[in-house]
Amino acid sequence: MVSTFYSIIPSRSLCVFQRHDSTEHIQEYYRQRLRVQQHLEQKQQQRQLYQQMLLEGGVKQQDGAQHNLTETFLSRSIQRLEEMNVGIDPKGDEVMAHLGQQWNGLTTNSSTSSPRMTNIHNTDKGPVRSKSGGVISSTPSNSGNHGPPSLSESPVSKSRSAERIRASAASVQDEPGCSTIRNAHEHVKSKTQFVRVSQLEDTQAVRAVAFHPSGALYAVGSNSKTLRVCAYPEILTTSGSGAVKQPSVRFRRNKHHKGSIYCVAWSHCGQLLATGSNDKYIKVLPFNADSCNATGPDLEFSMHDGTIRDLAFMEGPESGGSILISAGAGDCNIYTTDCQRGQGLHALNGHTGHILTVYTWGGWMIASGSQDKTVRFWDLRVPSCVRVVGTSLHGSGSAVASVAVDPSGRLLATGQEDSTCMLYDIRGGRMVQTFRPHSSDIRSVRFSPGAHHLLTGSYDNKIIISDLQGDLTKQLPQTVAGEHLDKVIQCRWHPHDRMFLSSSADRTVVLWAPGP
């Protein structure tokens, strides 16, 4: 029998009797296996190169959960920033700095250069494959990949934000038509769905607000140089009847600065409160949230030579909870400072116009927006800017007054002075859409904690919420959430509740809650 004959023939002779197509299949198998091996070897080389870059920068893995920045890293980082930073492309196009190009080569997702929006992983079901008309989710990935993190991924995994942001990959165009600005404000619902819970009044315009990480307090900075810390109400009254209540001011510091307070920020541990002013000083106040009082003298930093326009504390254990990012006018640098040791760490240069906004996520990543009409991405583990996005690519170009990144670290939103918002896919390196929810400068953009909604405040006096739960490439549903008597300067979501704060040139700060 044939089967018996095959069974006694040596394995080396068996191949003589194989069909020709089977031989091709085997050869194709070995070719594919070789390609996979080469790919793995290349990834390993890239991983080693990345680790070498970190070591050259002075970053060493230390035992224990706490990874503090070393003295060697501080000095070498500053030196290499001065040596290796590159300027902006004079045409305003999107460019990559020298190390940014190396960074792009180290990303674990090879679809970075894809002309379509790339996959964004789903926490529950793993990667969602990109198909025509498929769904793309910005939910954080817990895939367990321990390779070098890419620009598109937060190095620190998120436990929150389990909701999905959907977009149709097939709808994203590469043609100029994709940059069409949708005048969404013409289709905004007229009904206000939020009501005033409390209202704080000042003698001058109020520029800055920030919730304490616990949500129990919020800080307010004003043009009157006054710093206040108010209590978040334990019982919310949203009936809309009667006079709006004044919040309980638990801490007050008159003439906290010699000039107007432009920005305020809490550290993620809630024990430091930072303020920036047009007096060119940063003040960091040690603060006890339980006693609602300062626990020590102010720390003052004077590295800026112009108005400090924005502040943010880095998150995650890598920073030790005390690394402050600051930016503004003057030399147009972004500075990072270790407030615990009172020592400067980095001076990030590259912007050619005043920096109006900074945002940090993932423990190392920074996004900055400037009057030079660009957004720059920075990674403090790499001694230069890793990506530049020019708004002139997606319209006429405009100064970027506010930036925010969603909790998954995958979607960027910008608020611009030409009344437009841009949604940008960080992983794919592609603009999703540009739309116009307001009729004047947009000074504040923030994602809700679950990334369901985008909160925007504008000089048209309005606060608008855009719904992000549908296709991000289509027109987004809009709702007027609130309105002031004058320009809206900042809006901030409560860290847990569906509430938000807004500050305005009408000299008030309002706490808003969903209507009855």
Side-chain angles (χ1 to χ4, degrees), residues 413-431:
T414 69
Q416 293 155 205
E417 290 187 353
D418 63 355
S419 73
T420 62
C421 278
M422 179 176 68
L423 296 179
Y424 183 83
D425 173 19
I426 299 175
R427 166 171 293 177
R430 295 286 167 177
M431 190 270 293

Side-chain angles (χ1 to χ4, degrees), residues 190-458:
S190 59
K191 183 180 178 181
T192 300
Q193 297 185 351
F194 283 71
V195 297
R196 296 169 186 251
V197 173
S198 65
Q199 178 171 302
L200 175 68
E201 297 181 358
D202 198 279
T203 58
Q204 297 186 37
V206 184
R207 291 186 175 272
V209 290
F211 275 107
H212 188 272
S214 67
L217 304 169
Y218 58 91
V220 178
S222 166
N223 275 7
S224 66
K225 311 172 187 178
T226 305
L227 173 66
R228 298 179 180 88
V229 176
C230 302
Y232 181 69
E234 295 181 0
I235 300 177
L236 300 176
T237 304
T238 59
S239 62
S241 60
V244 179
K245 295 183 178 180
Q246 288 276 345
S248 172
V249 178
R250 301 286 305 280
F251 176 85
R252 179 183 178 119
R253 178 77 63 83
N254 295 327
K255 296 182 179 179
H256 185 58
H257 280 271
K258 295 179 181 178
S260 302
I261 299 176
Y262 271 66
C263 45
V264 296
W266 292 95
S267 64
H268 290 270
C269 63
Q271 297 176 0
L272 298 174
L273 176 57
T275 56
S277 168
N278 58 2
D279 64 7
K280 306 178 184 179
Y281 278 88
I282 294 170
K283 287 192 173 186
V284 179
L285 184 65
F287 199 84
N288 186 305
D290 295 329
S291 63
C292 216
N293 207 347
T295 59
D298 297 351
L299 302 175
E300 284 193 353
F301 300 100
S302 58
M303 71 289 276
H304 291 274
D305 60 356
T307 299
I308 292 93
R309 298 298 298 262
D310 206 1
L311 295 165
F313 279 94
M314 292 179 62
E315 60 183 17
E318 297 89 350
S319 68
S322 62
I323 306 299
L324 179 67
I325 303 163
S326 58
D331 59 13
C332 305
N333 284 348
I334 300 171
Y335 291 95
T336 64
T337 307
D338 188 335
C339 298
Q340 187 173 2
R341 294 186 296 175
Q343 182 177 3
L345 304 181
H346 304 85
L348 308 176
N349 60 79
H351 278 296
T352 59
H354 294 172
I355 300 172
L356 305 178
T357 174
V358 292
Y359 194 91
T360 179
W361 77 100
W364 299 101
M365 302 302 301
I366 302 171
S368 56
S370 167
Q371 287 182 343
D372 63 18
K373 304 180 182 180
T374 68
V375 176
R376 282 181 173 255
F377 292 96
W378 313 83
D379 183 337
L380 295 184
R381 297 163 297 185
V382 179
S384 71
C385 172
V386 295
R387 182 177 296 173
V388 181
V389 179
T391 60
S392 58
L393 289 174
H394 317 299
S396 59
S398 177
V400 182
S402 184
V403 294
V405 176
D406 80 327
S408 72
R410 287 158 171 77
L411 187 65
L412 169 82
T414 69
Q416 293 155 205
E417 290 187 353
D418 63 355
S419 73
T420 62
C421 278
M422 179 176 68
L423 296 179
Y424 183 83
D425 173 19
I426 299 175
R427 166 171 293 177
R430 295 286 167 177
M431 190 270 293
V432 180
Q433 73 156 292
T434 302
F435 62 103
R436 181 173 277 117
H438 294 274
S439 58
S440 188
D441 304 33
I442 298 176
R443 309 306 296 190
S444 184
V445 294
R446 279 298 183 273
F447 289 96
S448 62
H452 271 144
H453 301 95
L454 183 69
L455 182 70
T456 56
S458 168

Side-chain angles (χ1 to χ4, degrees), residues 25-41:
H25 289 160
I26 293 173
Q27 291 175 349
E28 177 62 23
Y29 164 75
Y30 281 110
R31 283 196 294 268
Q32 290 181 2
R33 191 173 73 170
L34 179 61
R35 283 196 292 268
V36 170
Q37 289 175 344
Q38 292 174 342
H39 177 74
L40 293 175
E41 291 174 358

